[in-house]
Amino acid sequence: MLRYLPFLLIIALTIYTFIDCLNTPEEEVKHLPKVVWVIIILVFSIVGPVVWLFAGKKRQGVGGGRPGRTQWVAPDDNPEFLKSLREERESRESRENREKRDEKDKDQ
């Protein structure tokens, strides 16, 4: 059984990189067109998938600086959410003040 392990690993790597290449948007593929990468992955069984993993796709660095806020942001860190809360509170307070004033005017 162990003698089949290298072949299974090569097949698994080829299938993984093939699917990864197909699911990668065209603008994230580097150096060659996507169709050429698919052919390289399928024809060169060991080298093709390894080259795809290292050179074929734009990868995001781990722990590096954030290029932009494309990830999920907690509500207490999101300035737009905090601004919407502040505006909602101010409108509620102004509405309550208006109602009190109207009630006071009605009583007089």
Side-chain angles (χ1 to χ4, degrees), residues 34-46:
K34 194 174 182 178
V35 175
V36 176
W37 277 114
V38 169
I39 293 170
I40 289 172
I41 290 170
L42 294 177
V43 171
F44 303 105
S45 65
I46 297 173

Side-chain angles (χ1 to χ4, degrees), residues 31-80:
H31 306 298
L32 296 170
K34 194 174 182 178
V35 175
V36 176
W37 277 114
V38 169
I39 293 170
I40 289 172
I41 290 170
L42 294 177
V43 171
F44 303 105
S45 65
I46 297 173
V47 177
V50 172
V51 172
W52 166 257
L53 290 175
F54 289 107
K57 180 179 177 181
K58 293 179 185 174
R59 308 253 182 218
Q60 293 180 348
V62 178
R66 291 192 297 192
R69 289 229 165 178
T70 58
Q71 297 175 340
W72 181 82
V73 178
D76 56 346
D77 291 338
N78 188 339
E80 290 90 17

